[in-house]
């Protein structure tokens, strides 16, 4: 499923022979992009690979927009995430924090050994965010290459805010945002309307994050089964393929601009 498109784009690492990879890496200002997802429950209406499917699609969509003169390659997605808070529902595969950190460090450092001037992690799972921030620092102190990290749904939030139909909280886990993207990219994996059920966000700390567009200044650990019966939070019933297409266009354009900026800074 994830690898159906191997070799289909110029930015795809996995479909190239090693010499072509080295040639791209040795170009001035080359950028290696590492998508990082998860395998975790997303309620009754979305597949457990949602985060990996979406981040992989967004990264390839962005890399395809940078132009042939920008040397960018995208690794296969890291499909395991740090998801202990989803384990009670079942269907979730999670690495230990230190194991995933070591995996990402190894991917980045061996990528740099190929000659890349910059490495950018693009995350697709909220539970990975702090870990990727840590990896940016640990890898950054171990190499002369520039190391960066972002989470795709934190890009272009003002533009996406104008697309939403839900109130704040409706674009949380498995909600309007992710369900819309899946309806656009993989509608065959999304359950029918009558199965889309998200718990209304009920965060008792005003400083905590409300949904994917509002991270909030406060981090707090809570197992998902403590505040969601289905495993999803938000308003998946307000999702649509049309909205997903608009979100995809906005986010991939913003990511493309970021990749071009990274290239220019390192050229």
């Amino acid at each position: 499923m994830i690898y159906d498109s191997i070799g289909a784009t110029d930015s795809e690492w996995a479909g190239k022979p090693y010499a072509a990879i080295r040639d791209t890496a040795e170009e001035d200002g080359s950028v290696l992009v590492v998508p990082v997802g998860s395998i975790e429950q997303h309620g009754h209406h979305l597949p457990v690979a949602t985060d990996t499917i979406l981040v992989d699609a967004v990264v390839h969509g962005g890399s395809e927009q940078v132009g042939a003169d920008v040397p960018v390659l995208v690794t296969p997605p890291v499909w395991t995430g740090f998801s202990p808070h989803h384990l009670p529902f079942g269907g979730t595969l999670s690495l230990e924090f230190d194991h995933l950190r070591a995996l990402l460090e190894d991917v980045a450092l061996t990528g740099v050994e190929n000659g890349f001037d910059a490495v950018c992690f693009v995350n697709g799972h909220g539970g990975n965010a702090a870990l990727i921030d840590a990896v940016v620092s640990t890898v950054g102190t171990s190499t002369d290459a520039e190391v960066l990290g972002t989470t795709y749904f934190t890009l272009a939030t003002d533009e996406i805010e104008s697309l939403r139909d839900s109130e704040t909280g409706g674009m949380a886990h498995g909600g309007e945002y992710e369900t819309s993207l899946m309806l656009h990219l993989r509608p065959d994996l999304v359950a029918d309307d009558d199965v889309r059920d998200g718990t209304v966000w009920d965060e008792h700390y005003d400083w905590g994050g409300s949904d994917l567009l509002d991270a909030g200044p406060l981090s707090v650990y809570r197992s998902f089964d403590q505040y969601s019966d289905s495993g999803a939070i938000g308003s998946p019933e307000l999702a649509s393929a049309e909205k997903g297409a608009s979100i995809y266009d906005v986010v991939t354009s913003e990511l493309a601009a970021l990749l071009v900026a990274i290239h220019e800074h390192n050229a």
Side-chain angles (χ1 to χ4, degrees):
M1 178 177 62
I2 300 298
Y3 296 97
D4 287 347
S5 62
I6 278 184
T9 67
D10 290 339
S11 61
E12 179 66 68
W13 171 299
K16 294 182 180 296
Y18 76 88
I21 293 170
R22 292 299 296 265
D23 288 345
T24 299
E26 290 169 0
E27 290 188 48
D28 199 22
S30 59
V31 184
L32 178 64
V33 188
V34 184
V36 187
S38 71
I39 298 293
E40 64 183 35
Q41 69 81 26
H42 272 73
H44 297 302
H45 63 290
L46 293 179
V48 295
T50 291
D51 287 344
T52 304
I53 293 169
L54 294 183
V55 73
D56 194 47
V58 166
V59 167
H60 280 95
S63 65
E64 290 163 17
Q65 295 180 42
V66 301
D69 58 334
V70 179
V72 172
L73 280 186
V74 179
T75 72
V78 177
W79 56 263
T80 45
F82 181 62
S83 307
H85 46 306
H86 292 287
L87 287 171
F89 284 98
T92 296
L93 300 173
S94 179
L95 290 183
E96 294 291 334
F97 188 97
D98 289 342
H99 296 170
L100 181 56
R101 184 184 66 188
L103 186 157
L104 295 178
E105 290 170 346
D106 287 349
V107 169
L109 289 171
T110 53
V112 169
E113 285 186 18
N114 281 266
F116 284 90
D117 295 319
V119 178
C120 182
F121 293 99
V122 180
N123 175 40
H125 164 51
N128 293 340
L131 186 150
I132 287 177
D133 286 345
V135 171
V136 167
S137 294
T138 57
V139 176
T141 59
S142 304
T143 177
D144 292 332
E146 185 173 43
V147 186
L148 312 96
T150 187
T151 297
Y152 81 84
F153 47 77
T154 64
L155 299 173
T157 54
D158 288 344
E159 292 180 69
I160 294 174
E161 185 73 42
S162 68
L163 298 173
R164 72 187 304 163
D165 291 312
S166 64
E167 299 295 327
T168 301
M171 284 189 164
H173 182 74
E176 182 185 15
Y177 190 114
E178 291 182 312
T179 305
S180 291
L181 274 178
M182 286 295 291
L183 285 169
H184 169 56
L185 295 166
R186 290 300 304 268
D188 56 310
L189 298 179
V190 183
D192 294 336
D193 292 357
D194 58 354
V195 183
R196 297 176 202 165
D197 177 25
T199 300
V200 175
W201 186 269
D202 183 22
E203 175 58 75
H204 55 274
Y205 293 116
D206 292 338
W207 306 272
S210 299
D211 61 24
L212 301 184
L213 304 188
D214 179 20
L218 178 69
S219 296
V220 57
Y221 179 83
R222 189 177 294 107
S223 180
F224 255 60
D225 62 339
Q226 294 181 20
Y227 60 112
S228 176
D229 293 332
S230 68
I233 300 174
S235 305
E237 72 279 2
L238 297 178
S240 70
E242 293 76 18
K243 192 180 304 175
S246 296
I247 292 172
Y248 181 78
D249 289 344
V250 168
V251 174
T252 54
S253 294
E254 186 75 5
L255 179 59
L258 172 61
L259 296 178
V260 171
I262 295 169
H263 160 68
E264 291 177 346
H265 179 70
N266 288 278

